[in-house]
Amino acid sequence: MRRGASPGTWQVSLRTTPRPLATRAWREVDYPGAVNATIAATVLDLLDVGAEDSLLDMTCGSGTFLVEQLHRAAPARAVGVDLDPAALDAARRHQRAARRRGRIDWVEGDVLTAELEGGFTRLVTNPPWGTLHGEHESNEDLLAAALERAAELAAPSARLGVLTHEITRMRRVLERRAAGWRRVGEHRFFQKGHHPRLFLLER
């Protein structure tokens, strides 16, 4: 409930389904730190991922970005990388539950060192925010390393989306260690008490 536009009036919002819109039926595993599916859908829309693109999720976790993309247009190539085998097991379960056509290659390892074939036209990463995963003190170096690695794996004119709660650190990295990326947009979101931002970058 919130106050209406006119004095003395109120607006009341009612959910007519048992699940919120942000909850996807294919989400079978409650993986800690998973990005909200509605936010993921918005990020993918801003990245403008199409069927002709090759899409890399550099820190895929339980696969939200890549599985969400299958509901829009299956990319020509889709790869998700994560260090945690439990996260990749969850991602595979989510992909099966989604029952959408499209291949996703799930790679266990550190994206900074994993053997990957480059040429990605769209890249996305949701690196640790220093709450459930990671540490605030080391996140600036992590963000800089992610930009450098993304530059190595990106095709010319590629787009990269970085969703992070480390806004000040990310801006500092873009000023000093951008690795050839140029900021073309910045979008604010709200998720469970956090206010992460998507930094939309281009080569």
Side-chain angles (χ1 to χ4, degrees):
M1 181 180 294
R2 64 181 181 180
R3 292 186 182 277
S6 303
T9 63
W10 293 84
Q11 293 181 343
V12 179
S13 300
L14 298 175
R15 185 193 303 165
T16 58
T17 63
R19 297 161 68 97
L21 290 174
T23 302
R24 301 301 196 247
W26 48 262
R27 183 173 289 286
E28 296 185 346
V29 181
D30 186 15
Y31 186 76
V35 67
N36 177 297
T38 304
I39 293 176
T42 304
V43 169
L44 294 164
D45 186 51
L46 292 167
L47 277 173
D48 192 23
V49 182
E52 73 286 353
D53 284 306
S54 51
L55 173 62
L56 171 66
D57 187 343
M58 301 175 69
T59 49
C60 69
S62 57
T64 304
F65 283 113
L66 295 176
V67 176
E68 190 70 29
Q69 181 59 40
L70 294 183
H71 289 74
R72 306 159 71 83
R77 179 185 176 208
V79 179
V81 184
D82 203 278
L83 281 167
D84 186 358
L88 295 178
D89 286 344
R92 293 185 184 97
R93 283 184 60 181
H94 291 157
Q95 184 183 3
R96 287 193 297 270
R99 297 182 179 180
R100 294 282 173 160
R101 292 184 178 180
R103 175 178 172 178
I104 301 174
D105 294 322
W106 304 107
V107 178
E108 182 181 337
D110 186 341
V111 71
L112 301 180
T113 57
E115 291 188 13
L116 298 168
E117 182 181 347
F120 291 98
T121 57
R122 298 289 185 269
L123 304 92
V124 64
T125 183
N126 177 32
W129 294 356
T131 49
L132 291 176
H133 303 288
E135 298 177 355
H136 289 294
E137 292 73 19
S138 60
N139 278 351
E140 185 167 331
D141 288 336
L142 176 62
L143 289 166
L147 294 192
E148 291 172 6
R149 182 60 169 153
E152 294 173 3
L153 296 170
S157 302
R159 279 191 175 185
L160 167 64
V162 181
L163 182 66
T164 181
H165 191 63
E166 300 282 19
I167 298 166
T168 300
R169 289 180 171 88
M170 183 64 189
R171 287 175 175 167
R172 199 154 50 219
V173 167
L174 288 173
E175 289 174 2
R176 305 172 183 174
R177 307 160 71 180
W181 294 101
R182 177 175 59 91
R183 177 169 45 185
V184 294
E186 190 175 318
H187 305 269
R188 187 180 185 188
F189 297 99
F190 298 85
Q191 178 176 342
K192 296 180 181 178
H194 292 289
H195 302 152
R197 296 201 185 185
L198 172 70
F199 289 83
L200 187 60
L201 313 176
E202 286 185 351
R203 293 290 289 160

